[in-house]
Amino acid sequence: MEVTLNVKALLSDYRLPADFKRELEVLFRENVNRVHSRTRLSSKSLSVKTQGYRLQKLCRSFEELRENGFALQSPWSLKEKHIRFLVNLWVGKKQSGGTIENKITYFRAFANWIDKPNLVGTVGDYVDRKENGLIRSYSALEDKSWEGNQVDAIAVLDEIARTDPVVAMQLKMQAAFGLRVEESFLLRPKESVRHDGLLSVTRGTKGGRDRVVPMELQISVLEEAMQYCNTLTGSTIPDGYTKTQWRNHYYDVLKRYGVTKAGLGVTSHGMRHGYLQQMYERLTGVAAPIKGTGEKADIKSHREAMIQVVAAAGHSRRRKANAYLASYNAVAQQKSAAISLEQAQAAVVSAGGEKKAAAKLLGISRQSLYRILDREKCAE
């Protein structure tokens, strides 16, 4: 039986006129489980959690409009000026670019529900992104892998396994196969191994994008997982737990052992980063750009590796690989931004005036060196 969101109960938490709520309730009931994403492959309805989160943000936004003098009598009366005001309000509250873009996405879906498909623009249509610090980078700017943060994964997993072997096993699966946390919960080890030696990942995936990943020499990890399969579902969530209960337990265990940004400086998602970075290195023969070694793969190998990394990660767009691997340009820009004019000038002197040699000393491109040296001209 399909679980549905209690729309009336959700609306009761918000200070909106009764007639306004009634119209919202009709709109929500008819549309709440509709998928808006253009990259989602699954034909399934949105989860109740996703539905609820989207409606909460919409309701709170309508409250914000009324609190600031917009007496909307009907949700059908939503106009461009309301969206513009909200975006500027959120910017004024110093909300992140990602948060604001998510809210705009919810309103873009809502606009379709009220037959105004062109009502909502992008963040840049309402405010200056650069001026307000809303330029989003789709390339990693820091290495989130455990290896990149000098965390001894084997030691940490051994320690966790002493008190909670199931959590340790799920972390191992994330490291061995690049699984997301929920994918490691819902994987059915006894059913997921294909005859061609690939692992089929079909549950808990993002956007319903099923995928297969190479098992390589990691069969022992699956064999361990098979020992802990739920007797009813076959997943790795232990008997007696719901998914929500297990998720809470899982993160409690990680917190206890310091697997947090505030603790060891890493999260379990860092296992996935490490897996994809290692895959890139195996495919190209050089470390991923985020490692900052300065080595570059040839363009053909790089492009082919990016395609395979995206497929293994379960994403639909090639640029998504940059979130795990970074791009050469992003790394170069970050590195050159950290080099002062004085350091650049000193490198040029050390290299006897040879700009190419000076750039190599600094670990940046010659073009980046010229940009740094140009700062002196701009300052004059």
Side-chain angles (χ1 to χ4, degrees), residues 83-98:
I83 304 298
R84 182 175 296 278
F85 174 82
L86 285 170
V87 173
N88 279 276
L89 177 68
W90 299 330
V91 169
K93 290 182 176 181
K94 304 299 182 184
Q95 295 182 6
S96 71

Side-chain angles (χ1 to χ4, degrees), residues 10-309:
L10 184 146
L11 284 167
S12 67
D13 292 334
Y14 295 92
R15 299 184 303 278
L16 296 168
D19 289 344
F20 195 96
K21 282 187 179 181
R22 276 192 288 272
E23 291 189 65
L24 271 184
E25 184 177 352
V26 173
L27 282 167
F28 286 173
R29 287 188 185 281
E30 292 177 350
N31 299 284
V32 67
N33 62 355
R34 285 174 57 187
V35 174
H36 183 67
S37 171
R38 296 176 183 175
T39 60
R40 182 181 174 91
L41 298 180
S42 174
S43 59
K44 296 179 182 178
S45 301
L46 295 180
S47 69
V48 170
K49 179 181 176 182
T50 301
Q51 293 174 26
Y53 189 77
R54 179 160 68 176
L55 299 196
Q56 287 166 6
K57 296 302 179 185
L58 288 170
C59 288
R60 178 58 193 140
S61 297
F62 282 122
E63 277 190 331
E64 288 175 321
L65 285 172
R66 296 191 66 82
E67 290 167 0
N68 286 277
F70 291 94
L72 273 173
Q73 298 303 308
S74 167
W76 292 84
S77 301
L78 186 69
K79 294 182 171 61
E80 190 272 345
K81 67 178 181 180
H82 300 127
I83 304 298
R84 182 175 296 278
F85 174 82
L86 285 170
V87 173
N88 279 276
L89 177 68
W90 299 330
V91 169
K93 290 182 176 181
K94 304 299 182 184
Q95 295 182 6
S96 71
T99 296
I100 294 172
E101 286 192 0
N102 284 340
K103 290 180 179 181
I104 285 180
T105 298
Y106 302 147
F107 268 106
R108 191 171 292 119
F110 185 83
N112 278 291
W113 302 349
I114 59 173
D115 300 322
K116 297 180 180 180
N118 300 315
L119 175 66
V120 181
T122 65
V123 175
D125 292 326
Y126 307 112
V127 294
D128 187 309
R129 284 176 177 269
K130 187 173 183 180
E131 182 181 315
N132 290 285
L134 299 176
I135 301 295
R136 293 185 74 183
S137 173
Y138 293 94
S139 178
L141 298 177
E142 62 174 316
D143 189 347
K144 296 181 181 179
S145 70
W146 288 35
E147 176 193 41
N149 286 274
Q150 289 76 53
V151 175
D152 187 337
I154 294 176
V156 174
L157 293 184
D158 284 346
E159 189 176 359
I160 293 174
R162 293 192 188 101
T163 59
D164 207 309
V166 178
V167 170
M169 172 270 295
Q170 290 170 338
L171 285 166
K172 289 178 186 177
M173 289 205 299
Q174 293 164 33
F177 308 115
L179 303 183
R180 298 180 178 90
V181 171
E182 186 158 325
E183 290 171 348
S184 72
F185 292 173
L186 300 181
L187 187 80
R188 298 180 180 182
K190 295 178 181 178
E191 302 175 14
S192 300
V193 181
R194 301 189 349 164
H195 294 301
D196 57 5
L198 296 173
L199 183 70
S200 180
V201 183
T202 60
R203 294 177 175 83
T205 59
K206 190 172 184 178
R209 285 183 287 274
D210 298 347
R211 67 186 188 279
V212 293
V213 295
M215 288 176 49
E216 297 175 331
L217 302 177
Q218 304 291 351
I219 187 65
S220 61
V221 176
L222 274 183
E223 289 174 342
E224 180 182 349
M226 290 177 187
Q227 299 175 30
Y228 297 102
C229 288
N230 186 293
T231 55
L232 183 63
T233 66
S235 75
T236 65
I237 297 175
D239 292 355
Y241 284 89
T242 65
K243 185 173 71 173
T244 299
Q245 289 170 339
W246 182 252
R247 183 188 296 110
N248 292 338
H249 171 81
Y250 174 88
Y251 284 111
D252 283 344
V253 171
L254 296 191
K255 186 176 181 181
R256 192 188 320 147
Y257 285 94
V259 184
T260 63
K261 292 295 287 184
L264 294 172
V266 295
T267 65
S268 60
H269 195 62
M271 291 293 196
R272 181 169 157 86
H273 280 254
Y275 170 83
L276 296 170
Q277 290 169 12
Q278 290 164 18
M279 171 181 277
Y280 178 89
E281 186 167 353
R282 286 197 305 273
L283 293 170
T284 64
V286 301
I290 192 64
K291 298 299 184 183
T293 63
E295 294 182 288
K296 281 190 177 183
D298 66 83
I299 191 65
K300 182 180 179 182
S301 297
H302 173 73
R303 286 175 176 169
E304 290 177 352
M306 295 293 269
I307 291 170
Q308 291 192 49
V309 166

